[in-house]
């Protein structure tokens, strides 16, 4: 049995009377690409938000390895090794691509105020290390040409890739991708599929991905969670789900 | 007008502009990071004036080295105002985290008034004269006598801005502040403790306000309990003129307001017309560029 890296146990998140997610249970094995699908409003992003500390779940437990994540703030969760991207891209738009990546090294940077004012060797070495690591990741994602461009000025697809690059700079073990293929055409989705598999390999990641694009989900996910109205509808491999009547009903409507 | 007067007026402009620039800077910094129009900031400035007054009056009788006293009282004022700013943040702003923005603005106005009237009750309404914090020597600039303290006010203000710039551009805290000001949620996911960065911005605001207060006290010496009121208005206007949230904008706005305050009374028949000119400039700038001179468009994405 493979090692479980992320597990949710009976997690509920209520906003007043609205049950955004209701009694969700699942486990993700280390090294997997794990998909989360479901109609709009099914609670997919809410799952990411409770894992990453944006919301504190109403009840239930969230584990990363054996550590309970409930009630931790986003910045502590990042330090533990979970990074994410956003459905609405959240780059620091006024800053260059390279600076965006450098910010993501925040928790791994060690120099003090005095180092900056004295321009100490530690400061220079740290800055150089951060810059080199950032450029390495940009090269890996074929984004090096853009490094001095303002992030906000890039086309949508490139912004998404920069966001993935930035998340990688946080040195995560688990990467959460929230609709990485939104707004992409079929050729771009193919590239993205390759990219996701490539970064998993290179950075030894476990990847959770929310997606509407069935091509992406069916081609690269090894296990998929299907949500409907905040509840777990099904979980299984792409092939198992293709023939699952409950999933077909939620997606295609009832057939007689 | 002879050259002598022109040079004097240029120095007066730089002095006043520097003070407004620092005040606007401290105001805009809290706004930029915490997304909060902190109208209580004027009262923080007021508290700083009184702490400087009492501490320096006490120390000047005992210590002979004026520069030493200046540094010490500045540190005392910075610590006191930082504590008040942090108290204000946790008592008046944090509990309203999820309230509409207008509630926080009203809360800041209320907190500011409470502090101001606390000063009135503790220290009385009598105007006070700040001891000369910066030693007053006269130097000659191209044959024209210039009081040294005015030059020192300008130098200290610019030095403060330079140090602040290094902190914001180079340090981890500065990087974190810029990240939080651009996108607080994303900053959290970069491993930045956003709550602490916001608190740090309040401390920065208080320390800069204390430096500004020491310069104001040096330049104009007479003050009363409501000293912060005028300052907060002009620094708010300077910050909005330059583009609220923008550091360079606040500095630019501060010097523009300073220039108007010096030039307008010379050219206009009644000196208080300078306020009309200042507001007219503000209105025209906002009509042409609603985000202020250096401000950026802030599109809220849903």
């Amino acid at each position: 049995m493979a090692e479980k890296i992320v597990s949710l146990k009976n997690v509920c998140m209520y906003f007043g009377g609205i049950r955004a997610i209701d009694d969700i249970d699942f486990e993700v094995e280390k090294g997997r690409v794990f998909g989360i699908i479901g109609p709009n409003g099914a609670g997919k992003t809410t799952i990411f938000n409770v894992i990453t500390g944006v919301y504190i779940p109403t009840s239930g437990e969230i584990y990363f390895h054996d550590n309970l994540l409930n009630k931790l703030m986003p910045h502590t969760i990042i330090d533990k090794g979970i990074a994410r991207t956003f459905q609405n891209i959240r780059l620091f738009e006024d800053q260059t691509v390279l600076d965006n990546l450098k910010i993501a090294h925040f928790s791994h940077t060690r120099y003090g105020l005095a180092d900056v004012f004295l321009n100490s060797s530690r400061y220079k070495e740290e800055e150089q290390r951060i810059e080199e690591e950032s450029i390495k990741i940009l090269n890996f994602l074929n984004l090096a040409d853009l490094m001095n461009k303002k992030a906000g000025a890039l086309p949508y697809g490139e912004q998404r890739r920069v966001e993935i690059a930035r998340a990688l700079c946080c040195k995560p073990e688990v990467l959460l991708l929230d609709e990485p293929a939104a707004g992409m055409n079929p050729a771009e989705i193919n590239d993205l599929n390759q990219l996701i598999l490539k970064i998993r390999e290179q950075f030894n990641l476990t990847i959770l991905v929310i997606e509407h694009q069935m091509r992406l989900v069916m081609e690269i996910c090894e296990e998929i969670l299907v949500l409907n109205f905040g509840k777990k509808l099904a979980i299984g491999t792409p092939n198992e789900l293709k023939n699952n009547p409950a999933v077909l009903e939620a997606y295609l409507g009832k057939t007689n | 007008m002879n050259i002598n007067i022109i040079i004097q007026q240029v120095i007066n402009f730089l002095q006043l502009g520097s003070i407004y620039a620092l005040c606007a800077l401290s105001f805009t910094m809290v706004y930029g990071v915490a997304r909060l129009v902190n109208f209580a900031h004027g009262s923080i400035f007021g508290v700083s004036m009184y702490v400087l007054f009492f501490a320096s009056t006490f120390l000047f009788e005992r210590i002979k080295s004026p520069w030493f006293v200046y540094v010490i009282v500045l540190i005392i004022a910075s610590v006191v105002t930082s504590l008040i700013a942090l108290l204000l943040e946790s008592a008046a702003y944090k509990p309203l985290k999820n309230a509409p923005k207008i509630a926080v603005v009203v809360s800041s106005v209320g907190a500011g008034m409470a502090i101001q009237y606390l000063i009135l009750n503790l220290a009385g309404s009598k105007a006070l004269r700040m001891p000369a914090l910066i030693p007053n020597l006269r130097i000659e600039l191209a044959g024209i006598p210039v009081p040294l303290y005015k030059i020192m006010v300008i130098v200290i203000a610019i030095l403060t801005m330079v140090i602040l710039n290094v902190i914001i551009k180079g340090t981890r805290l500065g990087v974190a502040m810029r990240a939080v000001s651009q996108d607080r949620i994303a900053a959290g996911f970069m491993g930045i403790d956003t709550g602490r960065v916001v608190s740090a911005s309040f401390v920065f605001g208080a320390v800069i306000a204390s430096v500004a207060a020491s310069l104001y006290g040096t330049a104009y010496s007479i003050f009363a309990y409501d000293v912060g009121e005028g300052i907060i208005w002009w620094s708010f206007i300077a910050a909005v003129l330059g583009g609220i949230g923008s550091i360079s904008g606040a500095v630019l706005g501060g010097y523009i307001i300073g220039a108007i305050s010096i030039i307008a009374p010379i050219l206009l028949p009644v000196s208080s017309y300078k306020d009309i000119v200042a507001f007219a400039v503000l209105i025209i700038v906002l009509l042409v560029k609603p985000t202020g001179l250096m401000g950026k468009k802030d599109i809220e994405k849903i």
Side-chain angles (χ1 to χ4, degrees):
Chain A
M1 188 90 177
E3 189 193 344
K4 306 288 181 210
I5 191 157
V6 174
S7 17
L8 275 74
K9 295 202 165 86
N10 309 99
V11 174
C12 301
M13 181 74 226
Y14 302 158
F15 298 98
I18 298 167
R19 302 184 161 200
I21 54 176
D22 198 5
D23 203 17
I24 294 294
D25 257 318
F26 68 87
E27 289 176 325
V28 182
E29 280 175 25
K30 193 170 160 54
R32 282 266 165 108
V33 177
F34 184 94
I36 300 175
I37 64 171
N40 284 324
K44 306 183 293 296
T45 299
T46 307
I47 289 188
F48 275 15
N49 284 342
V50 293
I51 294 175
T52 54
V54 176
Y55 302 139
I56 297 165
T58 315
S59 63
E61 284 154 358
I62 300 161
Y63 291 95
F64 174 58
H65 295 293
D66 292 325
N67 304 320
L68 191 64
L69 292 187
N70 301 30
K71 293 182 185 174
L72 293 183
M73 297 285 288
H75 64 267
T76 359
I77 288 173
I78 270 285
D79 288 347
K80 289 193 181 294
I82 301 181
R84 72 177 284 186
T85 66
F86 298 89
Q87 195 174 344
N88 318 311
I89 300 167
R90 300 197 90 116
L91 289 170
F92 301 110
E93 297 184 352
D94 294 338
Q95 301 192 26
T96 64
V97 169
L98 184 60
D99 283 341
N100 265 277
L101 268 67
K102 283 160 103 178
I103 293 173
H105 285 90
F106 190 80
S107 28
H108 313 284
T109 318
R110 292 287 166 256
Y111 57 72
L113 200 60
D115 294 316
V116 177
F117 280 96
L118 302 173
N119 203 9
S120 73
S121 57
R122 178 155 74 147
Y123 174 64
K124 282 185 228 161
E125 280 162 21
E126 278 287 277
E127 280 290 296
Q128 201 185 347
R129 177 183 66 82
I130 291 168
E131 187 153 330
E132 279 168 7
E133 281 179 21
S134 304
I135 291 173
K136 219 163 86 186
I137 287 175
L138 285 173
N139 275 325
F140 190 75
L141 299 191
N142 294 327
L143 291 166
D145 299 345
L146 307 174
M147 76 182 173
N148 293 318
K149 292 224 168 98
K150 276 205 173 170
L154 299 177
Y156 212 61
E158 281 172 351
Q159 287 195 20
R160 289 213 176 273
R161 273 159 55 215
V162 172
E163 224 191 4
I164 293 173
R166 187 178 65 172
L168 290 174
C169 289
C170 301
K171 302 185 179 168
E173 282 179 64
V174 175
L175 180 61
L176 312 184
L177 302 173
D178 197 345
E179 298 201 23
M184 288 188 175
N185 64 35
E188 286 173 321
I189 291 173
N190 265 340
D191 292 346
L192 182 67
N193 282 350
Q194 297 316 310
L195 178 73
I196 291 173
L197 296 176
K198 203 169 94 172
I199 57 175
R200 171 176 67 167
E201 190 70 29
Q202 177 77 18
F203 297 94
N204 200 12
L205 292 171
T206 306
I207 295 176
L208 272 69
V209 55
I210 291 176
E211 207 23 272
H212 279 298
Q213 298 285 349
M214 282 303 138
R215 273 194 66 182
L216 185 149
V217 177
M218 291 299 174
E219 278 175 25
I220 65 169
C221 293
E222 287 132 346
E223 198 171 13
I224 299 170
L225 169 73
V226 188
L227 293 178
N228 199 21
F229 295 113
K231 286 194 193 306
K232 180 162 93 175
L233 196 65
I235 190 162
T237 64
N239 277 329
E240 284 166 7
L241 294 178
K242 263 183 203 162
N243 304 314
N244 182 318
V247 176
L248 291 177
E249 190 186 314
Y251 266 85
L252 304 171
K254 207 173 178 97
T255 48
N256 290 314
Chain B
M1 212 184 328
N2 70 30
I3 184 82
N4 194 335
I5 292 175
I6 291 178
I7 290 184
Q8 298 284 4
Q9 293 297 3
V10 167
I11 289 172
N12 285 342
F13 146 65
L14 287 174
Q15 176 180 261
L16 185 59
S18 300
I19 292 169
Y20 281 147
L22 272 190
C23 290
L25 194 61
S26 60
F27 190 86
T28 221
M29 213 156 157
V30 173
Y31 178 84
V33 178
R35 293 286 137 177
L36 164 76
V37 184
N38 184 16
F39 282 113
H41 199 64
S43 298
I44 300 258
F45 183 91
V47 170
S48 198
M49 291 293 283
Y50 278 85
V51 173
L52 289 167
F53 172 81
F54 288 116
S56 63
T57 310
F58 178 81
L59 287 175
F60 273 130
E61 286 172 11
R62 288 161 182 82
I63 300 168
K64 284 288 153 279
S65 161
W67 284 111
F68 181 69
V69 171
Y70 176 66
V71 172
I72 294 292
V73 294
L74 195 54
I75 291 171
I76 296 172
S78 300
V79 171
V80 172
T81 51
S82 296
L83 291 176
I84 293 176
L86 289 175
L87 185 71
L88 209 61
E89 191 211 354
S90 55
Y93 304 140
K94 266 191 192 153
L96 297 172
K97 208 166 62 183
N98 299 320
K101 276 190 178 154
I102 188 71
V104 188
V105 173
V106 172
S107 175
S108 83
V109 173
M113 280 181 165
I115 295 173
Q116 183 174 319
Y117 287 102
L118 197 64
I119 297 175
L120 176 62
N121 279 300
L122 292 177
S125 61
K126 203 165 62 103
L128 299 173
R129 176 184 284 277
M130 186 73 83
L133 293 172
I134 296 171
N136 188 12
L137 302 172
R138 276 180 177 273
I139 53 163
E140 298 223 331
L141 203 69
I144 297 149
V146 179
L148 177 69
Y149 75 87
K150 291 193 179 181
I151 302 294
M152 287 316 298
V153 165
I154 299 165
V155 170
I156 292 170
I158 291 173
L159 196 65
T160 308
M161 293 179 217
V162 170
I163 292 172
L164 191 68
N165 192 44
V166 173
I167 292 175
I168 289 172
K169 291 272 159 66
T171 64
R172 291 183 79 226
L173 180 61
V175 169
M177 280 181 159
R178 278 187 293 153
V180 171
S181 81
Q182 284 186 40
D183 189 332
R184 193 164 168 175
I185 291 175
F189 287 102
M190 300 298 108
I192 295 167
D193 185 342
T194 53
R196 266 174 63 187
V197 171
V198 169
S199 299
S201 80
F202 276 92
V203 170
F204 269 82
V207 172
I208 301 165
S210 295
V211 175
S214 76
L215 302 182
Y216 182 89
T218 302
Y220 305 108
S221 61
I222 305 289
F223 67 99
Y225 73 98
D226 57 354
V227 59
E229 221 169 81
I231 288 290
I232 192 66
W233 272 119
W234 288 112
S235 50
F236 177 59
I237 290 161
V240 173
L241 185 66
I244 192 151
S246 156
I247 299 274
S248 44
V251 173
L252 180 66
Y255 280 106
I256 291 174
I257 297 291
I260 293 170
S261 304
I262 298 294
I263 296 168
I266 300 171
L267 303 177
L268 297 170
V270 180
S271 79
S272 61
Y273 283 2
K274 72 177 187 346
D275 296 358
I276 299 174
V277 178
F279 282 108
V281 169
L282 177 72
I283 290 166
I284 292 166
V285 167
L286 292 186
L287 284 175
V288 177
K289 202 164 179 293
T291 52
L293 293 170
M294 318 275 279
K296 295 208 180 70
K297 225 193 290 179
D298 193 14
I299 303 167
E300 191 92 2
K301 276 190 210 139
I302 311 280

